[in-house]
Each structure stands twice: as structure tokens, then as C-alpha cells.
């Protein structure tokens, strides 16, 4: 065999052995983070506050808002809208698929309408809802509720429809009533789907509340951002955006905790992203 | 070296350890100090219990895995060592490998799967396509050329993956239970076909199987591997004259005794 | 027989919905709910005089351009990182963090930087689609079968052969899923951008009509938007099924209602 006739050598590391050491990865992460901050600071220095607010300015503004109490008002308004809408829309969205299961005929008949409903970008409903319910709390709650409802409803429906029919037959044979089947089988099958929906829906509820506030509001983080925008207050926009992101992160973390507890029976986290 | 041909492939003191992983604390010793040679044109069969490390060994010979210690020599040169850090799978199409799983491409139909090696080696010609069709016909896959793998039975997929390697004619072919998922009739038919093809070209074949009768019926020589970590438990020269009548092989003198000896070594 | 009953059922539901709408507009007044007939007429009229088409074009352009600007790099990044697991591990927390940032809330920043025209919408769409495509493509790259790669190498395949015959087909279901999932988001993001600040696009049309208290026009624009999204979904679904026709039907049997990404 001629050495010159080379096949394509593959590095061992490609096959998952001896991959970069953990310490190196951690160091890389930290360096990358510092690099990002440095670029941000540099861009701020270069382009000026009117285009890019610096990290220090944002912290300063946030601290000031917290001191005057304005911060808590806005956070509370946005969070309240999101939570109320989430609870109302969410409970309806979770419940309905279970009810629909009782009537396969209705489910099949609704099919094309549901597909169309899935197609409406829910966010585009905001102006209409503000028209109907005014610029206050109500319109945002309905808006968030509609968004969360559809999200959870479609996820729940996917879950309910993925129930293993063999399990259901088994339960019927064993003498289980419809209620028992719903509680013991359908519920457990659908739960991961519902959680996947909740996990997506809660941060989106906050986003939706903020978008609603962009369009018309009297308080809330979205209102604050939009107000800052109209006054060309770049630091204000940045601060608002950072606060919204922080709120989402906190909420996500809380949800993560809850999920870890209630899905303990599952061996691995099945990937819900199709 | 028990075969007349010169040695083409040699396994020298090969050891394979699978390192511990998160969730599995201890390392797993799959092959321990295994050595043997394969002569040019020889039909060598390996038998051993499930989990012995047979597939692992073939992976190492085929260069899709490295030995933890020891060397593989091919045509007088070391091709794999524990310290070499570059694998050359198939060693430039010199070593063919019919894996235990069929590994057909789900997105290609049967014919395209069989022609895949020729296509990537830029050796596709009317002649080679003819040869592929001949082989498909010989194994009863004619008429299924346009089927996707998921539309074929397990045994049909197995045959397809066998043909995929035969069609490009590498001098050494490793086969990992190629007839595992086939019914008894088709199986003896395929064994006969394989022997016939082998007789024409006299390739070097390393053939792994669970089935002692199959190992004896096909081979010039049979190696028996121990339960993991795989080591050599025995070596048997099969001196049944060729061409063999596989239908009657069980009745031949010496077969039963050989069978029994191997069976006892596997235990 | 069963089919006819189904059609009848569906018709019945449609009639009920229209009737409910009619009743609502009767009870609350047509200035709040318009009526099905006026809305339908308005939709057809604005379709004919090209108003809806003009704005839909703008929205579609923003979504498509954002899709290219954000989706293409997002799709290619996992392939570029395929050989460097350490780099992937390093970037991972930042990508997850970036995915978590509520992009819609960032829209005012994009408007500040790129103006109220097409640029800010493209940026908003791109920032959303990038992450969706990245995570789907990354799942696809992870799904590339090592066994098939080994088989191809043994058969003598070059890197280019493997990219074409193994890696792309293995990853393509995930990438196509990514495209199908991202498309409605892209349109939705473009619309939100237009709602907040714009002078063109379906979002602008909705917002302007709402400012005018013209519920009929809002409904007509919403219908146009829905048709657009459903049409795009339908095209993507068909394309995907055609491209992935090699998969066993069970796997392609698309569940009617997918879990959200
Ligand atoms: N990638 C791997 N990582 C860790 N352990 C492995 C790996 N591959 C194989 N093993 C272990 O090595 C041992 C031998 O496996 P191998 O697949 O070679 O067996 P085999 O002889 O081919 O068995 P069978 O006849 O059932 O195919 C087994 O205990 C297996 O668990
Ligand atoms: Mg094996």
C-alpha cells in the first residue's frame, strides 16, 4: 500500500474522545463574556450614549428608578398583566383539550378552523383589543390571555392526541371509567406537553404585556420603554429592555424549579421541539 | 499461521478498554491481549458469545475505532496502533466492512444504496451497475431496486448491505453476522451464494457469527472467542474439502465432533 | 357518508360562528364589531384595489429578508461548529441566554438604530429567527449518525460526499422543521415591528385602522394577515413532505397540532 494514496484522516477528538477539558471551556466562556462586555463598552464610547447606552449608565438609571419607586410600579404592572392573563388564558387553554377529547366528532369538525386560528399572529390583535378594552389593565390581560390560551391549547391538544391508545384500551378492559382514564392516562401523557407550553408561554406572556404597553398604556415596562423612545432617552430604552429581560429570566428560573419537581417520574427530558 | 496463503492481516496483542463515562464509573475491558493472523484468500470465522467484543474487534480492524494497546498489521505494515491518532476507515477501500446493523441510507432507494460506494469512489459505470444488478438478482432482491430501506424487511436490508460491500470488491471483507436476521432457508441459500462468490475471487473474509454450524460450514479456520474480555479460547482448522455441499454438511464425518468441541469452548 | 357528515358539521360550525358575530354586532353595535358582510366586502374591495397586497408585500419582504439575514447564519453555525465541541460548549450558555431575551421588547432599540423603515423590521425578525434556526440545526447536526458516517468513510467517501450524502440528509428534517417553525414567527415579528412604528405593512394597516376606530378595516387586515400565514404554512408543509418523502410514513405523519417550539 502506498502511503501517498492517503485516505482522509479524522482527528480522534472528532469522535468525542479527549474533547477540550472542562477548565478550558469555562475559561473560554468567561473570556467570551468579558469580550462581549468590552465590545459593548467600546461601542458605547465610540458611538456615544445617544446610540448605545453604557452598562454603567444603565445600572445607574435602574438604581435611580428603584430609589424613587418608579421601577417597582412598572415591574408590578407588567408582571400583574402577564400573570393575570396567564392564569385566565392558561387555565382555559389547559382545560379545553380535555373537554374536546370527549367529542371526537367536534374535534374533527373544528380541525380547519383551529388550523386557521393557529395561523393568526396573535400579537396583531393588540390594537383591536386596545380599541375594545381601553388602554388600561384590561386590554393587556385579555391580550396576554388570548396568546397564552392558544399556546397552551395547541400544546395540550397535541399532548391529548398523543395518548397511547393501547394504554387507554388496557384501562377500559381493567374497568376504568372515562374520568379515571383522563386522570390516570391522558393527564400524565399530556403533562409534559402542557409544561412545554407553560415554559414557552410564561416568558411570552411578559413579552406580550410589554408589546401591548408599547402600543398604548399608562404604566408598565413597555410604557416606560416607549416613553423613553419618544423622548430620545436611549439610556431609558436600554434600562427598560434590561429590566424586561431580567424579569423573564427570573420567571423562567422559577418555572424551571417547579418543573423539575412535578416531572420527576420521567427518566429523561424528552425533546418537545419537533 | 495455519493457512497456505501469506499473511495479509495480523492482529497483535490488541487490547480494548472503554473508558468510564459519567453515570458509569468503571472502565470496561472488551478485548484482552488478542492475537491472530489471517492469510491471503482465507475464509476465517470468529465465534463467540454475545457481548464478547467481536464487533469491537472488527471496528478496530476496519479503522473506525482505535485499539487501547496492540497493533493491526495489514499487508506487512502497521495500520493501527494505540498511539496513532488518525484513523483511516476502510484503509483506502482495501478493507470492506459489512456491519452488524445494515446502515443503509434511509433517504436512498435500494439500488442507490448498493451503488453508494462506487458512486463516492467515482467508479460508477454501466458495467458496475450490471454487476450490482446481478448480485441483487442472485440474492433475491430483484424488483425491489426502487424501494426505500424502510419498505424492506430486516433480512432484505441485511442482504443489501452485504451486496453494497461486495459490489466494489475490496480485497479484505469483514462481515459481522451478515445473515443474522434471515430465515433458515434464505440463510443457507445466502451461505451457498457467499461461498460461490468467494470461490470465484478468493477474497480474504473475516466472518463473525453466533452460529457454530455456520462458522464451521463456511470457514477454512474458526477462532473461538471467550466471553468479554475477548481472548482466544480455541482455534480449529476446518478441513472439509471444497466445494462444500452445505445441505449435507451436518452429516459429514467430524462435523458433529467439531461442533461439540467449539460449543464447549464457548461456554 | 361519513365524509358528508363531516362537511355538514363544519358548515354548521361556520354558520354558528358567523351568526354569533352577527349577534354581537347587533347587541354591541356595528361600530365595535362591524358585521360579517361589511367586513367581507371590505376585504374583497381592498384586495381588488391592491391596498392589502401592497402592505402584505412589505410585511412579506421584511419577514423574508429577516429570515435570510438571521436564519441563514443560524442554520450554518452548527455545521461550522460540528468539529469543535469545545467551542460549542463555550458558546452554548450565550446562545441559550440570547434565545431567552424577549426580542419583541428589544424592538424599540432596533427602531432607534435602524429607523422606522424596513431595516428595523428585518433586524427584529432576524434576531428571532437566528436562534430558532440555530437550535433546530444544532439538533440536526447532533442527529447525524456516526454509524452512517463510518460506513461512508469505509466505502471511500470524501468530506464533500459525506456532507452531501450523509450530513445534509440526516440534518435536513430538523432544518426544515426549523424553517416551518420560524416562518410564522418571522411574519409575527415583522407585524409587531410595524405595529410599534411604521408607515407600511399589514401591522401598520391594523394599527392605523384601530387609531381610526375603523373596526371593519382592522378585521379586513387581520383576515389578510391570516390568509398570508396559513398560505405560507401550507406551502412549507407541502415542500417539507415532498423533500422528506423518503421517511417512513409514520414519522412524516405530521401531527395536526404541533407543540410549540
Ligand atoms: N462504544 C462503546 N462504549 C462502551 N462500551 C462498549 C462500546 N461498544 C461496545 N462496548 C462494550 O464492549 C463489549 C463488547 O461489545 P461488542 O459489540 O463488541 O460485542 P459482540 O461480541 O459484537 O456482541 P454481539 O454478538 O451481541 O454483537 C460489550 O460489553 C459492550 O457493552
Ligand atoms: Mg456484535
Amino acid at each position: 500500500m502506498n502511503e501517498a494514496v492517503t485516505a482522509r484522516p479524522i482527528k480522534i477528538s472528532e469522535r468525542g474522545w479527549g474533547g477540550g477539558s472542562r477548565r478550558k471551556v469555562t475559561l473560554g466562556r468567561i473570556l467570551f463574556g468579558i469580550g462581549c462586555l468590552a465590545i459593548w463598552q467600546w461601542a458605547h464610547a465610540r458611538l456615544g450614549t445617544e446610540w448605545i447606552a453604557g452598562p454603567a449608565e444603565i445600572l445607574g438609571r435602574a438604581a435611580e428608578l428603584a430609589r424613587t419607586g418608579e421601577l417597582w410600579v412598572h415591574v408590578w404592572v407588567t408582571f400583574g398583566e402577564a400573570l393575570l392573563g396567564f392564569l385566565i388564558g392558561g387555565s382555559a387553554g389547559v382545560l379545553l383539550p380535555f373537554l374536546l377529547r370527549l367529542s371526537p366528532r367536534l374535534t374533527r369538525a373544528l380541525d380547519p378552523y383551529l388550523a386557521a386560528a393557529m395561523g393568526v399572529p396573535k400579537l396583531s390583535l393588540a390594537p383591536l383589543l386596545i380599541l375594545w378594552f381601553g388602554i388600561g389593565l384590561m386590554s393587556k390581560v385579555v391580550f396576554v390571555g388570548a396568546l397564552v390560551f392558544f399556546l397552551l391549547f395547541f400544546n395540550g391538544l397535541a399532548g391529548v392526541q398523543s395518548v397511547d391508545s393501547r394504554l387507554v384500551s388496557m384501562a377500559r378492559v381493567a374497568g376504568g371509567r372515562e374520568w379515571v382514564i383522563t386522570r390516570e392516562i391522558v393527564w400524565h401523557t399530556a403533562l409534559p406537553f402542557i409544561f412545554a407550553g407553560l415554559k414557552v408561554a410564561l416568558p411570552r406572556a411578559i413579552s406580550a404585556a410589554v408589546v401591548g404597553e408599547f402600543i398604548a398604556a399608562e404604566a408598565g415596562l413597555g410604557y416606560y420603554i416607549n416613553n423613553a423612545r419618544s423622548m430620545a432617552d436611549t439610556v431609558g430604552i436600554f434600562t427598560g429592555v434590561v429590566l424586561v429581560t431580567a424579569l423573564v429570566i427570573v420567571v423562567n428560573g422559577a418555572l424551571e424549579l417547579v418543573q423539575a419537581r412535578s416531572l420527576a417520574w420521567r427518566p429523561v427530558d424528552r425533546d418537545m421541539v419537533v | 499461521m495455519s493457512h497456505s496463503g501469506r499473511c495479509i492481516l495480523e492482529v497483535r496483542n490488541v487490547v480494548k478498554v472503554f473508558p468510564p463515562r459519567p453515570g458509569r464509573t468503571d472502565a470496561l475491558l472488551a478485548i484482552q491481549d488478542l492475537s491472530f493472523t489471517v492469510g491471503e484468500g482465507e475464509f476465517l470465522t470468529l465465534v463467540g458469545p454475545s457481548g464478547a467484543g467481536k464487533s469491537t474487534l472488527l471496528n478496530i480492524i476496519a479503522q473506525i475505532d482505535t485499539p487501547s494497546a496492540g497493533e493491526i498489521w495489514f499487508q506487512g505494515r502497521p495500520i493501527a496502533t494505540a498511539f496513532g491518532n488518525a484513523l483511516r476507515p476502510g484503509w483506502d477501500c482495501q478493507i470492506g466492512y459489512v456491519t452488524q446493523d445494515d446502515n443503509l441510507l434511509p433517504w436512498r432507494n435500494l439500488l442507490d444504496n448498493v451503488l453508494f460506494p462506487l458512486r463516492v469512489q467515482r467508479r460508477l459505470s454501466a458495467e458496475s451497475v450490471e454487476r450490482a444488478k446481478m448480485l441483487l438478482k442472485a440474492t433475491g432482491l430483484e424488483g425491489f431496486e426502487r424501494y426505500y430501506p424502510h419498505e424492506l424487511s430486516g433480512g432484505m436490508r441485511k442482504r443489501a448491505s452485504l451486496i453494497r460491500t461486495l459490489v466494489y470488491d475490496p480485497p479484505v471483507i469483514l462481515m459481522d453476522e451478515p445473515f443474522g436476521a434471515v430465515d433458515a432457508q434464505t440463510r443457507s441459500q445466502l451461505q451457498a451464494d457467499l461461498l460461490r462468490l468467494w470461490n470465484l475471487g478468493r477474497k480474504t473474509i473475516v466472518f463473525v457469527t453466533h452460529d457454530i454450524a455456520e462458522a464451521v460450514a463456511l470457514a477454512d479456520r474458526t477462532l473461538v472467542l471467550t466471553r468479554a474480555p475477548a481472548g482466544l479460547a480455541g482455534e480449529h482448522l476446518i478441513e472439509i474439502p471444497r466445494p462444500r455441499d452445505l445441505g449435507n454438511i451436518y452429516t459429514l464425518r467430524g462435523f458433529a465432533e467439531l461442533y461439540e468441541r467449539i460449543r464447549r469452548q464457548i461456554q | 357518508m361519513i365524509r358528508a357528515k363531516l362537511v355538514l358539521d363544519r358548515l354548521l360550525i361556520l354558520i354558528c360562528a358567523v351568526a354569533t358575530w352577527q349577534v354581537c354586532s347587533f347587541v354591541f353595535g356595528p361600530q365595535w364589531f362591524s358585521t360579517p358582510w361589511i367586513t367581507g366586502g371590505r376585504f374583497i374591495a381592498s384586495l381588488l384595489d391592491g391596498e392589502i397586497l401592497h402592505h402584505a408585500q412589505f410585511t412579506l419582504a421584511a419577514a423574508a429578508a429577516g429570515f435570510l439575514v438571521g436564519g441563514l447564519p443560524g442554520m450554518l453555525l452548527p455545521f461550522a461548529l460540528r468539529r469543535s465541541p469545545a467551542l460549542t460548549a463555550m458558546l452554548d450558555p450565550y446562545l441559550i441566554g440570547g434565545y431567552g431575551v424577549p426580542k419583541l421588547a428589544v424592538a424599540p432599540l432596533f427602531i432607534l438604530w435602524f429607523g422606522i423603515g424596513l431595516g428595523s423590521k428585518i433586524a427584529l425578525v432576524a434576531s428571532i429567527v437566528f436562534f430558532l434556526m440555530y437550535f433546530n440545526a444544532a439538533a440536526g447536526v447532533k442527529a447525524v449518525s456516526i454509524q452512517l458516517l463510518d460506513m461512508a468513510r469505509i466505502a471511500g467517501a470524501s468530506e464533500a460526499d459525506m456532507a452531501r450524502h450523509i450530513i445534509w440528509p440526516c440534518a435536513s428534517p430538523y432544518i426544515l422543521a426549523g424553517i416551518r417553525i420560524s416562518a410564522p414567527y418571522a411574519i409575527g415579528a415583522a407585524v409587531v415591528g410595524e405595529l410599534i412604528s411604521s408607515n407600511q405593512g399589514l401591522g401598520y394597516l391594523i394599527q392605523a385602522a384601530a387609531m381610526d376606530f375603523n373596526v371593519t378595516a382592522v378585521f379586513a387586515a387581520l383576515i389578510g394577515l391570516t390568509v398570508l400565514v396559513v398560505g405560507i404554512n401550507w406551502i412549507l408543509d407541502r415542500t417539507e413532505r415532498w423533500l422528506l418523502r423518503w421517511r417512513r410514513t409514520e414519522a412524516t405523519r405530521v401531527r395536526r397540532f404541533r407543540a410549540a417550539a
Side-chain angles (χ1 to χ4, degrees):
Chain A
M1 220 174 121
N2 189 348
E3 189 68 85
V5 190
T6 45
R8 294 133 295 272
I10 28 173
K11 285 216 283 315
I12 300 282
S13 66
E14 182 194 338
R15 308 181 57 87
W17 298 321
S21 71
R22 288 208 65 73
R23 287 238 314 273
K24 246 165 112 185
V25 168
T26 314
L27 194 70
R29 280 177 184 172
I30 294 170
L31 284 180
F32 186 83
I34 293 175
C36 286
L37 275 177
I39 290 176
W40 183 2
Q41 183 62 42
W42 175 83
H44 162 64
R46 190 73 212 277
L47 296 171
T49 297
E50 67 268 33
W51 290 106
I52 295 188
E57 289 168 321
I58 294 172
L59 281 180
R61 174 68 65 88
E64 187 193 317
L65 287 176
R67 197 171 44 75
T68 61
E70 205 185 332
L71 179 91
W72 311 116
V73 174
H74 291 311
V75 168
W76 182 241
V77 166
T78 301
F79 183 68
E81 291 163 353
L83 193 66
L84 268 177
F86 181 81
L87 290 178
I88 297 169
S91 31
V94 168
L95 210 62
L96 212 58
F98 288 91
L99 294 179
L100 265 187
R101 204 184 85 82
L102 300 179
S103 170
R105 180 174 162 196
L106 184 61
T107 312
R108 266 169 63 75
L110 279 176
D111 200 82
Y113 304 109
L114 293 178
M118 209 154 66
V120 190
K122 274 35 137 224
L123 292 165
S124 64
L125 295 177
L128 187 67
L129 294 176
I130 287 170
L131 190 67
W132 280 345
F133 297 101
I135 64 167
L137 177 79
M138 189 66 177
S139 59
K140 277 81 178 181
V141 171
V142 176
F143 180 47
V144 171
L147 192 97
V148 172
F149 168 78
F150 279 109
L151 245 168
L152 280 177
F153 174 74
F154 287 121
N155 264 42
L157 200 60
V160 165
Q161 288 180 350
S162 75
V163 165
D164 186 344
S165 57
R166 287 169 305 179
L167 287 184
V168 174
S169 316
M170 182 276 290
R172 289 233 167 85
V173 169
R177 298 272 178 76
E178 210 43 55
W179 163 241
V180 175
I181 289 170
T182 302
R183 201 189 52 203
E184 291 297 322
I185 297 170
V186 183
W187 171 249
H188 284 287
T189 309
L191 197 60
F193 287 81
I194 293 172
F195 262 108
L198 288 176
K199 216 162 140 181
V200 179
L202 199 49
R204 258 188 234 171
I206 295 173
S207 284
V210 170
V211 168
E213 289 161 0
F214 281 160
I215 292 168
E218 297 161 314
L221 289 171
Y223 165 80
Y224 180 79
I225 294 173
N226 209 32
N227 204 33
R229 188 166 70 90
S230 66
M231 300 194 304
D233 170 17
T234 309
V235 180
I237 304 180
F238 268 87
T239 310
V241 168
V242 168
L243 287 175
V244 175
T245 307
L247 185 59
V248 168
I249 290 172
V250 169
V251 164
N252 271 345
L255 200 66
E256 203 79 53
L257 276 180
V258 176
Q259 186 188 13
R261 276 158 182 259
S262 35
L263 289 185
W265 58 271
R266 294 178 63 205
V268 278
D269 205 13
R270 201 186 329 157
D271 207 350
M272 284 298 151
V273 181
V274 181
Chain B
M1 175 73 236
S2 49
H3 190 262
S4 51
R6 78 189 168 82
C7 163
I8 186 169
L9 188 70
E10 185 179 357
V11 173
R12 278 194 195 169
N13 309 102
V14 164
V15 174
K16 180 67 187 180
V17 184
F18 288 107
R21 288 252 176 82
R24 204 189 62 211
T25 46
D26 46 339
L28 188 132
L29 183 57
I31 301 176
Q32 186 169 39
D33 200 19
L34 185 66
S35 302
F36 63 88
T37 61
V38 188
E40 194 158 355
E42 186 180 22
F43 199 130
L44 179 75
T45 54
L46 297 175
V47 278
S50 181
K54 306 181 293 291
S55 302
T56 307
L57 176 66
L58 293 196
N59 285 346
I60 292 172
I61 300 176
Q63 297 253 312
I64 57 184
D65 206 345
T66 43
S68 311
E71 293 167 350
I72 305 289
W73 286 58
F74 178 66
Q75 292 176 331
R77 298 202 300 119
I79 61 170
T81 62
F83 308 107
N85 65 348
L87 291 165
R88 288 163 62 175
W91 198 252
D92 282 334
C93 314
Q94 298 295 298
I95 303 178
Y97 187 9
V98 183
T99 45
Q100 193 165 10
D101 313 315
D102 53 66
N103 285 332
L104 297 177
L105 305 179
W107 41 86
R108 295 266 179 261
N109 65 33
L110 175 58
L111 186 63
D112 285 339
N113 259 297
V114 166
L115 294 178
F116 177 77
L118 295 172
R119 186 162 284 142
V120 296
Q121 291 166 22
R122 314 281 182 275
R123 281 171 49 197
L124 208 56
S125 63
E127 192 189 329
S128 58
V129 172
E130 265 326 295
R131 183 174 147 77
K133 292 212 165 131
M134 188 270 287
L135 286 166
L136 286 174
K137 191 170 175 184
T139 50
L141 289 173
E142 200 183 23
F144 292 97
E145 287 89 348
R146 304 265 157 243
Y147 281 54
Y148 285 111
H150 75 260
E151 298 167 321
L152 300 172
S153 77
M156 291 162 94
R157 287 202 293 268
K158 242 9 226 273
R159 281 178 263 164
S161 84
L162 180 64
I163 294 171
R164 177 174 60 187
T165 301
L166 293 180
V167 81
Y168 75 94
D169 221 19
V172 174
I173 304 181
L174 314 175
M175 298 187 183
D176 198 347
E177 293 185 45
F179 307 142
V182 192
D183 65 278
Q185 275 81 17
T186 317
R187 189 178 180 123
S188 46
Q189 180 59 46
L190 287 171
Q191 290 170 349
D193 287 339
L194 180 63
L195 277 191
R196 202 161 37 78
L197 286 168
W198 175 73
N199 244 330
L200 291 178
R202 287 279 165 168
K203 308 247 151 281
T204 309
I205 294 183
V206 179
F207 187 107
V208 162
T209 178
H210 278 136
D211 180 345
I212 302 173
E214 179 174 75
V216 172
L218 296 176
D220 292 324
R221 192 160 52 109
T222 297
L223 299 181
V224 183
L225 299 183
T226 56
R227 202 165 282 288
L232 219 46
E235 175 178 8
H236 304 272
L237 272 182
I238 316 291
E239 278 160 336
I240 304 172
R242 295 183 191 269
R244 294 175 185 169
D245 176 8
L246 293 181
N248 285 329
I249 201 149
Y250 303 93
T251 59
L252 285 181
R253 207 165 51 78
F255 183 91
E257 185 205 341
L258 205 51
Y259 186 100
E260 194 50 34
R261 284 222 320 266
I262 294 175
R263 198 183 62 77
R264 240 177 288 121
Q265 276 170 345
I266 287 179
Q267 299 294 298
Chain C
M1 188 58 219
I2 292 179
R3 178 99 213 137
K5 216 170 118 187
L6 184 66
V7 172
L8 208 70
D9 279 353
R10 288 185 177 165
L11 218 60
L12 207 69
I13 292 176
L14 189 65
I15 291 170
C16 284
V18 172
T20 315
W21 186 354
Q22 191 71 60
V23 168
C24 279
S25 67
F26 185 75
V27 171
F28 296 100
Q31 73 272 27
W32 294 114
F33 271 90
S34 186
T35 72
W37 320 113
I38 299 176
T39 304
R42 168 74 195 228
F43 176 67
I44 291 168
S46 56
L47 204 60
L48 289 181
D49 71 13
E51 189 196 21
I52 284 219
L53 287 185
H54 167 76
H55 291 288
Q57 237 169 32
F58 184 85
T59 303
L60 201 58
F67 210 103
L68 284 184
V69 173
L72 214 55
M75 181 187 123
L76 294 178
L77 188 59
F79 289 91
L81 292 176
R82 199 173 78 83
R83 300 291 202 91
S84 15
L87 197 58
T88 310
M90 205 187 93
L91 291 179
D92 215 38
Y94 293 99
L95 288 165
I96 292 174
Y99 178 70
V101 171
K103 257 76 71 184
L104 294 176
V106 185
L109 274 183
F110 290 136
I111 293 171
L112 172 76
W113 289 331
F114 302 104
I116 65 161
L118 203 57
S120 55
K121 280 88 198 170
I122 293 177
L124 180 61
V125 173
S127 70
I128 289 177
V129 173
F130 172 81
F131 291 101
L132 285 175
M133 285 304 287
Y134 171 81
F135 285 107
N136 274 284
V141 165
K142 254 190 236 151
V144 174
S145 154
I146 301 263
Q147 279 83 16
L148 291 186
L149 285 178
D150 282 338
M151 184 281 295
R153 283 202 186 95
I154 288 175
S158 64
E159 282 299 323
D161 284 326
M162 291 202 295
R164 185 172 142 222
H165 292 291
I166 315 282
I167 297 171
W168 167 251
C170 274
S172 60
Y174 294 83
I175 289 173
L176 294 175
I179 292 174
R180 184 174 32 68
I181 291 169
S182 317
Y185 284 100
I187 305 244
V191 169
V192 169
E194 292 158 2
L195 286 180
I196 296 173
S197 166
S198 183
N199 48 23
Q200 279 182 81
L202 289 174
Y204 160 76
L205 202 60
I206 293 170
Q207 173 68 0
M211 298 286 263
D212 272 356
F213 291 90
N214 186 345
V215 176
T216 309
V218 174
F219 277 146
L222 280 174
I223 293 175
L225 186 56
T226 305
V227 170
L228 182 68
V229 175
V230 172
I232 288 175
N233 283 351
W234 185 82
I235 291 172
L236 289 178
D237 228 56
R238 280 295 143 129
T239 318
E240 184 183 3
R241 273 191 227 187
W242 182 76
L243 283 173
L244 299 182
R245 62 194 178 284
W246 51 266
R247 288 208 293 189
R248 70 187 69 230
T249 32
E250 208 176 63
T252 15
R253 196 196 62 211
V254 194
R255 206 182 283 126
R256 198 82 191 75
F257 301 106
R258 289 194 188 79

